[in-house]
Amino acid sequence: MSDHIFGMLDMAVVGIVVFGLGIWQLVSINREIGRDRSPERPRHPVGEHGLDDGRAKPPE
């Protein structure tokens, strides 16, 4: 086989992998968006509690 055929075969294999990963990411993101919009997920109103800076609060 000539170098041209090997080049086309290499581009096809890489293209299939790239398109497969892209489609997988799209499906994964759409699934996550669907989970975020589901009514069963508990949500907190904006501003209900203060920001958490990761430090423990001193005893009162």
Side-chain angles (χ1 to χ4, degrees), residues 13-29:
V13 168
V14 171
I16 289 169
V17 170
V18 167
F19 278 117
L21 287 173
I23 290 170
W24 175 68
Q25 286 290 312
L26 182 63
V27 168
S28 175
I29 292 296

Side-chain angles (χ1 to χ4, degrees), residues 1-16:
M1 285 198 212
S2 68
D3 291 337
H4 179 67
I5 294 173
F6 282 125
M8 295 298 284
L9 183 63
D10 185 36
M11 286 192 304
V13 168
V14 171
I16 289 169

